Amino acid sequence: MKELENDVGFQQAVRTSHGRRPPMTAKIPGTAIGARPLATSFGARVPVASSMGRPMTGAVQDGAARPMTAVRAAGYTSSMTRGSTFDPLGQSRGPAAPLEAKNEDTPEEKIKILEKKVNELIEESCMAQSTGALQLALEKAKEAGRKERTLVRHREKSGNGDHINLDLTYSVLLNLANQYANNEMFPEALNSYQVIVRNKMFSNAGRLKVNMANIYVRQKSYPKAIKFYRMALDQISNAHKEMRIKIMQNIGVVFVRMGQYSDAITSFEHIMSESPNVKTGFNLILCYYAIGDRERMKKAFQKLISVPLGVDDEDKYIPSSDESDSELVIEAIKNDKLHQMERDLKVLAEKYIMTAAKLIAPAIETSFATGFDWCVDMVKSSQYVELANDLEINKAISYLRQKDFNQAVETLKTFEKKDSRVKSAAATNLSFLYFLEKDYEQADRYADLAMTADRYNPAALINKGNTVFIKQDHEKAAEFYKEALRNDSSCTEALYNLGLTYKRLNRLEEALDCFLKLHAILRNSAQVMYQLTTLYELLEDPQQAIEWLIQVLSVTHTDPRALAKLGELYDGEGDKSQALQYYYESFRYFPSNMDVIEWLGAYYIETHFCEKAIQYFERATLIQPAQVKWQLMVASCYRRSGNYQKALETYKDIHRRFPENVECLRFLVRLCTDMGLKDVQEYATKLKKAEKMKEIREQRVKAGREGSARSRREGREGSAEADVKADAGHGNTKGERLSAKMRSLPGSNEPYEANSPKEIDASYVDPLGPQTERPKTGAKKRVEGDDFADEELGDDLLPE
């Protein structure tokens, strides 16, 4: 203690703190002098006196409540002596009272519920439209309109008529008008738009006149459409430049439909001066072409190829360094939506330029070639340099369409020293041209050249397969078609030709698989379905053949050959009534098919309706007047039906035209005998003479055949051994090949492949040589690799 008294620092601190203390208030009850209780962990309360006599904060008198402090808010209280417990969460007070339920009967709540329901109906209507359920979308839009009118009435009843939700009303009316237009209920749609446009409370409602003009265009009311487009244009400020350009473009298109090309040109020229785009530039060229203005066509083409696309250079998609992060970024943006949009825009521009060049080339110069050369020169000096080669190939295709094969070949041959892509496309087309001209050696040569330039060109592989197919090497042809399919799985020509090849190899199940796959791609191709019909017929499944042939007729309703084939299948199944129906339909569409005429005539004779058979045999007589059998059938029908006089006259007429016909004379003798006519002896004498002459002719023919056979036998016996070997190796094969060729050829006007042996009609000229099924060619009208629509130069697969 003495040390503390002598410590200057301690004493100074004591004096300083002591001087700041408040005066002692020990007289107040509950202070430190009054022995404040202290709760301990043992539950005992021991009075502790303050050493300095400091009063207790928050002391209360007579049990009064302590005022709220920060400590009190935390749940602590000093009044533990009064029996209170520590309950910071207030659990001792019991559960909280339940929330009061909303009173939905109040006008405000009803209005809120109705507004929510209207918004939900508008959303449901829009969703239904997006999924193609147009009728459902219209029903939802109508229901939203009814709910919105109920909402307005509730507001008026509650005295809130001045607080109508105009945005909700606008949304309901606009959605209803759109759904009417989508369902082609144009008067109702126009009325709904009029309600919006005439209401001055709706801001910017004048723009909806564009929608009204679009409806008038769909109704082909072009003057009204132009009127509303111009009204909308007047109500749109110059700040909305893009919308004004689109409306003016619509005006120009409507003028084109009306044939007012000068007015359309005015609109398009204004757009090209303000905001040029490729679509408007192309439309402007069409208008100049329509009025025949050569110079302005050239200027418009130059404007078209100079339109900026706003597409950045493709170099940004090439990594500039070896950094992995840079490569990852470039890989991510290579196929993003922005790059796809840029590619689509570029493809569209190239399509317009190519089409415009092909259109104006014959018109801007004295000759087609000069005009095309001018277009090529212009393109070479523009941003579309790579299109120049494509235009040159299109020039060759144009020559081909004009049947100027020499110029087409010369043009394509100029590409033999170009880069591989262009060279492959040119060689592919050359191979196709030579294949059409049946110069199979040249076709094979250029197919090889195309494959060397681009081994992954499916069209080149198809042409190579075709040249091998012609050489009867079907196994090798199948390999080329398979390789073309591996390079391009969507190549329908390769799949079709592969099916035909398997069919030639008698691998019918594999051919069936190819054509079933092809049918999944080309759902409405009559050729594919007919091939399936023939395959099922070869597989001896006539029911499946009938079903596929019915599908063929669902696509080509009036094909007489398909109808006759279906009648033949039903006849083979024993269903004569169905066979009669389809044979009769075939006769109705093509009344010159002798097979159909013969079947119908035989059917009516078999069913004892000889009078009906007469009309068919008379038609056969008109088609083949030199064939006596049809006239004999007519006379026979008269005789079977009991009209002996008409039968006698017909036989006499036949005898006058064919006096040596034995059968006609026999029937004349029989009829005259039955009818008791005097001419019987005359016809009997003629019959004996005709039979004798016939017997003499048959003996001469028989003797001639025996003599020729004897001379051939003697010649073979006296020939050298080498001749014997040569004859043994080739003597019979030629005849077999010739008969196979005759059997494989279809009849005249055969729309699809013939599958049954038929006689060759004298008027038939086979454009494809001895092949009934010719593989499709793979030549394209474009350079391989671009995104234009593929279009075959020709399809000579089946005879027409």
Side-chain angles (χ1 to χ4, degrees):
M1 291 296 292
K2 289 181 180 180
E3 291 177 0
L4 292 174
E5 290 176 357
N6 294 328
D7 191 339
V8 179
F10 178 77
Q11 291 298 328
Q12 181 66 30
V14 169
R15 284 196 299 271
T16 304
S17 62
H18 183 77
R20 289 202 300 266
R21 291 193 175 199
M24 297 177 64
T25 56
K27 296 180 180 179
I28 301 174
T31 61
I33 297 175
R36 184 177 68 174
L38 176 66
T40 66
S41 60
F42 299 100
R45 294 188 176 93
V46 182
V48 179
S50 173
S51 61
M52 302 304 294
R54 180 181 175 184
M56 183 185 218
T57 59
V60 295
Q61 297 180 357
D62 301 329
R66 178 179 173 175
M68 179 74 70
T69 65
V71 179
R72 181 76 173 89
Y76 173 79
T77 178
S78 61
S79 305
M80 305 298 287
T81 57
R82 301 183 184 89
S84 62
T85 58
F86 183 73
D87 186 16
L89 300 178
Q91 296 178 357
S92 61
R93 293 194 299 269
L99 296 174
E100 294 183 5
K102 283 187 178 181
N103 187 4
E104 295 185 358
D105 293 333
T106 61
E108 291 78 7
E109 288 299 324
K110 287 184 178 180
I111 288 171
K112 287 181 180 178
I113 292 171
L114 280 173
E115 282 188 349
K116 184 178 179 182
K117 183 63 177 175
V118 171
N119 281 314
E120 288 176 353
L121 287 169
I122 293 174
E123 290 179 6
E124 291 173 4
S125 175
C126 295
M127 292 299 294
Q129 178 195 346
S130 66
T131 58
L134 301 180
Q135 188 62 37
L136 177 61
L138 179 59
E139 293 299 326
K140 294 289 184 182
K142 288 180 179 179
E143 189 176 352
R146 289 192 292 268
K147 293 286 185 184
E148 196 272 336
R149 287 192 292 272
T150 305
L151 174 62
V152 171
R153 286 195 295 270
H154 273 287
R155 285 187 182 277
E156 291 175 350
K157 286 182 181 178
S158 62
N160 295 327
D162 297 335
H163 298 85
I164 294 176
N165 190 343
L166 288 176
D167 291 339
L168 185 63
T169 305
Y170 182 87
S171 300
V172 168
L173 290 173
L174 179 59
N175 182 56
L176 182 61
N178 288 338
Q179 301 309 331
Y180 276 133
N182 291 333
N183 283 272
E184 297 186 356
M185 300 170 66
F186 299 131
E188 292 83 353
L190 290 171
N191 290 335
S192 299
Y193 282 126
Q194 285 286 5
V195 171
I196 302 174
V197 171
R198 289 176 179 174
N199 194 332
K200 301 299 181 183
M201 299 178 70
F202 296 138
S203 59
N204 298 323
R207 296 184 180 185
L208 295 180
K209 290 182 179 178
V210 175
N211 295 19
M212 299 174 71
N214 291 340
I215 291 175
Y216 283 124
V217 170
R218 294 174 69 180
Q219 290 181 324
K220 298 185 179 180
S221 300
Y222 299 130
K224 284 187 177 181
I226 290 175
K227 175 184 175 182
F228 275 86
Y229 278 135
R230 285 176 170 169
M231 290 168 66
L233 198 62
D234 292 339
Q235 297 185 16
I236 296 174
S237 64
N238 293 326
H240 301 88
K241 182 178 179 181
E242 187 175 353
M243 181 174 286
R244 290 179 62 86
I245 290 295
K246 289 182 178 179
I247 294 174
M248 292 192 69
Q249 190 167 349
N250 286 358
I251 292 173
V253 171
V254 174
F255 275 129
V256 170
R257 293 191 179 185
M258 295 172 66
Q260 299 180 15
Y261 299 112
S262 57
D263 295 326
I265 287 170
T266 303
S267 296
F268 292 143
E269 284 181 341
H270 177 75
I271 296 171
M272 292 300 288
S273 62
E274 294 290 330
S275 178
N277 60 81
V278 290
K279 185 179 290 186
T280 304
F282 180 72
N283 288 338
L284 186 59
I285 290 175
L286 292 180
C287 292
Y288 288 144
Y289 180 82
I291 63 176
D293 194 330
R294 292 186 177 184
E295 293 302 321
R296 294 169 84 180
M297 268 190 276
K298 288 183 177 181
K299 291 179 181 178
F301 186 78
Q302 291 172 340
K303 285 183 181 179
L304 176 63
I305 60 178
S306 63
V307 170
L309 295 179
V311 178
D312 293 336
D313 193 0
E314 292 289 327
D315 293 340
K316 69 180 179 182
Y317 299 106
I318 301 173
S320 56
S321 63
D322 296 335
E323 298 178 4
S324 59
D325 294 342
S326 174
E327 290 182 0
L328 290 174
V329 170
I330 290 170
E331 192 65 30
I333 66 174
K334 259 184 180 179
N335 291 313
D336 63 353
K337 291 188 176 180
L338 177 60
H339 193 202
Q340 291 174 6
M341 185 186 72
E342 289 177 347
R343 281 202 303 261
D344 294 342
L345 184 60
K346 192 174 181 181
V347 166
L348 182 66
E350 290 175 350
K351 178 182 176 182
Y352 282 138
I353 292 169
M354 295 283 285
T355 307
K358 288 187 287 186
L359 177 70
I360 68 174
I364 57 177
E365 297 291 345
T366 54
S367 67
F368 161 78
T370 309
F372 225 107
D373 291 339
W374 181 88
C375 293
V376 171
D377 292 339
M378 290 296 104
V379 170
K380 284 181 179 178
S381 61
S382 71
Q383 57 183 326
Y384 303 98
V385 181
E386 65 276 8
L387 273 185
N389 291 328
D390 293 2
L391 278 172
E392 288 281 359
I393 290 181
N394 272 276
K395 178 182 176 182
I397 304 304
S398 300
Y399 279 130
L400 187 61
R401 286 180 174 172
Q402 296 173 3
K403 297 183 179 181
D404 192 346
F405 295 100
N406 294 329
Q407 284 291 340
V409 170
E410 291 300 321
T411 305
L412 290 171
K413 282 183 177 179
T414 59
F415 290 95
E416 291 188 17
K417 296 182 181 180
K418 298 280 185 178
D419 61 82
S420 60
R421 182 180 68 92
V422 179
K423 184 194 296 184
S424 178
T428 300
N429 285 317
L430 282 169
S431 174
F432 169 74
L433 287 173
Y434 283 120
F435 189 84
L436 288 182
E437 294 179 347
K438 298 182 181 180
D439 189 348
Y440 299 123
E441 291 184 5
Q442 288 286 356
D444 187 61
R445 173 175 168 268
Y446 279 102
D448 288 335
L449 183 61
M451 290 168 56
T452 304
D454 183 5
R455 181 68 189 183
Y456 301 100
N457 183 354
L461 291 165
I462 291 171
N463 286 346
K464 179 63 178 177
N466 292 350
T467 58
V468 176
F469 188 96
I470 290 297
K471 297 174 183 177
Q472 305 296 322
D473 191 351
H474 298 122
E475 291 286 354
K476 194 173 181 181
E479 291 302 319
F480 282 112
Y481 297 142
K482 287 178 185 177
E483 188 176 352
L485 283 172
R486 284 193 292 270
N487 295 334
D488 182 6
S489 58
S490 63
C491 186
T492 55
E493 296 88 352
L495 190 57
Y496 192 101
N497 293 348
L498 183 62
L500 291 182
T501 306
Y502 283 144
K503 189 176 177 183
R504 283 296 183 89
L505 293 169
N506 204 31
R507 293 156 63 176
L508 301 180
E509 292 292 342
E510 293 175 81
L512 186 65
D513 184 55
C514 289
F515 284 113
L516 287 173
K517 288 179 182 177
L518 196 58
H519 176 67
I521 302 171
L522 306 173
R523 304 295 295 182
N524 295 321
S525 173
Q527 290 187 7
V528 174
M529 289 187 282
Y530 195 87
Q531 291 294 339
L532 287 167
T533 300
T534 59
L535 284 169
Y536 277 116
E537 188 179 7
L538 292 172
L539 289 167
E540 298 181 356
D541 190 349
Q543 290 300 324
Q544 283 286 345
I546 288 171
E547 289 182 12
W548 281 106
L549 201 52
I550 289 173
Q551 291 194 41
V552 172
L553 290 172
S554 68
V555 178
T556 57
H557 312 283
T558 60
D559 191 324
R561 292 284 178 179
L563 288 165
K565 184 66 178 177
L566 190 54
E568 179 186 336
L569 289 173
Y570 274 119
D571 188 28
E573 289 294 292
D575 192 344
K576 294 288 186 181
S577 60
Q578 287 285 0
L580 173 64
Q581 176 186 343
Y582 287 108
Y583 270 122
Y584 179 75
E585 287 294 312
S586 175
F587 175 78
R588 193 161 64 89
Y589 289 117
F590 183 58
S592 300
N593 189 330
M594 298 305 298
D595 295 334
V596 173
I597 291 172
E598 187 173 4
W599 189 94
L600 287 169
Y603 171 81
Y604 283 118
I605 290 176
E606 184 181 349
T607 54
H608 307 291
F609 289 100
C610 299
E611 296 86 352
K612 288 188 176 181
I614 291 172
Q615 60 176 323
Y616 296 106
F617 291 127
E618 285 180 343
R619 180 171 291 275
T621 302
L622 294 174
I623 297 170
Q624 295 180 349
Q627 292 286 340
V628 68
K629 66 176 182 178
W630 305 121
Q631 300 180 43
L632 289 172
M633 291 302 298
V634 172
S636 177
C637 289
Y638 283 125
R639 182 172 56 82
R640 289 167 186 258
S641 62
N643 193 347
Y644 297 110
Q645 186 62 39
K646 189 68 176 177
L648 180 63
E649 293 175 3
T650 306
Y651 280 126
K652 286 182 178 180
D653 185 56
I654 296 171
H655 177 63
R656 282 193 296 271
R657 299 181 62 186
F658 303 95
E660 296 181 357
N661 188 273
V662 176
E663 296 211 5
C664 177
L665 288 169
R666 285 175 183 167
F667 281 114
L668 279 172
V669 170
R670 184 181 302 175
L671 275 176
C672 290
T673 303
D674 293 342
M675 297 173 68
L677 299 178
K678 298 178 181 179
D679 299 338
V680 62
Q681 190 61 39
E682 178 187 352
Y683 290 124
T685 305
K686 290 181 179 180
L687 176 60
K688 288 180 180 180
K689 189 183 294 185
E691 287 177 343
K692 189 173 182 180
M693 292 296 296
K694 182 179 180 182
E695 185 179 352
I696 293 172
R697 280 197 301 270
E698 289 176 354
Q699 288 177 356
R700 287 177 180 174
V701 170
K702 185 177 180 181
R705 287 177 180 173
E706 290 176 353
S708 61
R710 187 168 52 254
S711 62
R712 284 198 302 271
R713 189 165 55 250
E714 290 173 355
R716 282 198 301 270
E717 290 173 356
S719 62
E721 183 179 358
D723 294 338
V724 173
K725 289 182 179 179
D727 185 67
H730 303 287
N732 298 327
T733 315
K734 183 177 179 182
E736 291 173 0
R737 285 201 304 268
L738 183 60
S739 62
K741 172 183 174 182
M742 298 294 284
R743 285 197 302 272
S744 67
L745 282 171
S748 60
N749 299 313
E750 182 87 357
Y752 304 105
E753 180 198 359
N755 291 280
S756 57
K758 294 182 180 180
E759 294 182 1
I760 306 302
D761 191 9
S763 62
Y764 177 75
V765 178
D766 185 10
L768 306 178
Q771 308 301 328
T772 305
E773 303 159 325
R774 184 174 186 166
K776 289 189 176 180
T777 54
K780 304 289 184 185
K781 292 183 67 176
R782 60 177 179 87
V783 176
E784 292 298 319
D786 62 19
D787 293 326
F788 297 161
D790 294 349
E791 188 174 351
E792 294 295 320
L793 292 179
D795 186 4
D796 293 323
L797 175 65
L798 299 173
E800 296 180 353

